[in-house]
Amino acid sequence: MVTDDTLSIRVNGAHRRVRDGMSVAQLALELGLEPTKVAVERNLEIVPRSTLAEVKVEDGDDYEIVTFVGGG
Amino acid sequence: MSDTWSVAGRSFTSRLIVGTGKYKSFEQNAAAVAASGAQIVTVAVRRVNISDPGQPMLTDHIDPDKTTYLPNTAGCFTAEEAIRTLRLAREAGGWDLVKLEVLGEAKTLYPDMRETLKATETLVKEGFKPMVYCVDDPIAAKQLEEAGAVAIMPLGAPIGSGLGIQNRVTIRLIVEGAGVPVLVDAGVGTASDASVAMELGCDGVLMNTAIAEAKDPVMMAKAMKLAVESGRLAYLAGRMGQRRYADPSSPLAGLI
């Protein structure tokens, strides 16, 4: 059991520790991502872009963060 | 005379839709799109690269404000995966016009029509406008249309095969029966294949590999633009009838 003030989450399948109290928008920025260029799914639910700054990251969250890439 | 086509209330003058996969660079991709004259490009939805978030992105090279991005579900093998992908695509771009593709197996990349129909129904309920990749089956095409598909996109040959239009009869049957645009999606290998699709009366053609894997993709993109335009013109002009024997073009009267 970790008792520091960090949370354990998964982002795109990889485990990660982040500080407590951050929003999903802050998480994206911390990952070096422009929140307006990505879409975020949190525990299989879409997080609307308009609420990225309001939704708080919680311990155990599972995120998929996607963008457009070349394809057929 | 302007010859436009419409899908889900949006009008386009170009009848060529091109993919954005398999190019050597974003620059080459952007140059090929420009040469093709395409107003719609297909794009994939994938996880961002968290280990290298600063790398260049497709949107930096092909402007989504100028070219319509058509998010595609290529690589999805179930309705559930495809729907999840498109929900994310809608959030990433804000577009409801999407391309649905639910594959049945990796070997042929043939569509799984049971899953495709299921996904179409769900997407339509959620307000999406799905253009749907499908088999060249006129009955399946009709069922997709009834489920709310905004365009029917039968394959001309397996994805990435470059075999050309292998099924002219069934593509034509689909065109004759459809009340929504029909676009050949997959199978085109070279310019004449694109013309064949258009001569059959299709509203458009979608291709990726035929351009991206050409020795000179930008030149091939231009060839495809011209081929789609000439095929379309030939279709509108109405081709001559076919005969089994010769019919001379010079008059027989007045021969010396």
Side-chain angles (χ1 to χ4, degrees):
Chain A
M1 176 82 191
V2 180
T3 54
D4 62 6
D5 58 351
T6 61
L7 307 175
S8 170
I9 61 169
R10 286 177 81 80
V11 180
N12 290 354
H15 175 256
R16 197 171 192 97
R17 297 204 72 87
V18 295
R19 67 174 193 279
D20 197 0
M22 70 166 29
S23 68
V24 178
Q26 285 169 321
L27 171 67
L29 288 170
E30 188 170 290
L31 294 168
L33 304 169
E34 174 57 55
T36 58
K37 286 185 175 176
V38 299
V40 180
E41 188 192 75
R42 173 182 181 245
N43 305 328
L44 300 175
E45 295 280 333
I46 300 276
V47 184
R49 190 170 283 165
S50 55
T51 67
L52 286 176
E54 294 150 33
V55 177
K56 295 284 179 218
V57 175
E58 287 177 28
D59 198 48
D61 276 353
D62 192 355
Y63 291 92
E64 287 291 337
I65 306 181
V66 303
T67 190
F68 293 119
V69 302
Chain B
M1 184 193 80
S2 79
D3 175 38
T4 61
W5 69 287
S6 300
V7 62
R10 274 160 266 211
S11 285
F12 300 95
T13 50
S14 170
R15 293 172 179 272
L16 175 57
I17 299 178
V18 298
T20 54
K22 300 183 178 173
Y23 285 94
K24 286 194 182 73
S25 64
F26 283 127
E27 287 76 14
Q28 186 190 61
N29 190 347
V33 171
S36 76
Q39 295 168 301
I40 305 176
V41 295
T42 56
V43 297
V45 178
R46 293 290 182 272
R47 285 172 165 175
V48 293
N49 185 349
I50 289 173
S51 55
D52 186 13
Q55 65 184 346
M57 292 170 85
L58 184 67
T59 44
D60 298 331
H61 293 84
I62 298 170
D63 185 352
D65 292 331
K66 292 183 186 138
T67 304
T68 299
Y69 271 37
L70 185 66
N72 184 9
T73 61
C76 294
F77 285 82
T78 64
E80 200 183 336
E81 285 168 9
I83 293 162
R84 188 179 171 203
T85 300
L86 291 177
R87 284 179 186 146
L88 279 163
R90 177 157 68 178
E91 191 54 35
W95 304 295
D96 53 10
L97 185 65
V98 294
K99 183 188 152 193
L100 173 67
E101 170 173 323
V102 187
L103 303 171
E105 60 168 11
K107 192 175 168 186
T108 60
L109 296 180
Y110 251 59
D112 179 330
M113 290 309 295
R114 191 171 51 188
E115 291 291 300
T116 299
L117 188 59
K118 208 160 78 179
T120 302
E121 287 166 350
T122 305
L123 289 168
V124 169
K125 267 187 218 140
E126 294 187 12
F128 286 94
K129 313 271 186 234
M131 299 172 69
V132 185
Y133 169 65
C134 60
V135 288
D136 58 330
D137 171 352
I139 307 303
K142 213 63 211 169
Q143 288 168 343
L144 288 174
E145 189 180 332
E146 284 160 11
V150 297
I152 303 296
M153 305 213 285
L155 48 78
I159 292 172
S161 69
L163 288 170
I165 313 302
Q166 296 293 308
N167 44 8
R168 300 181 190 199
V169 173
T170 46
I171 296 286
R172 179 61 199 170
L173 287 175
I174 291 174
V175 168
E176 288 181 10
V180 293
V182 176
L183 297 91
V184 162
D185 178 0
V188 166
T190 188
S192 52
D193 302 332
S195 294
V196 167
M198 296 309 296
E199 285 167 6
L200 289 170
C202 290
D203 296 276
V205 182
L206 190 159
M207 65 182 74
N208 187 353
T209 312
I211 295 174
E213 285 190 3
K215 300 281 182 295
D216 184 335
V218 179
M219 195 185 288
M220 185 58 90
K222 187 177 179 194
M224 291 301 184
K225 174 188 183 347
L226 297 171
V228 167
E229 286 172 5
S230 50
R232 175 66 183 169
L233 284 175
Y235 176 70
L236 292 177
R239 62 153 299 151
M240 63 167 279
Q242 285 165 304
R243 304 180 180 92
R244 296 190 61 188
Y245 294 99
D247 182 47
S249 295
S250 304
L252 294 175
L255 272 172
I256 54 167

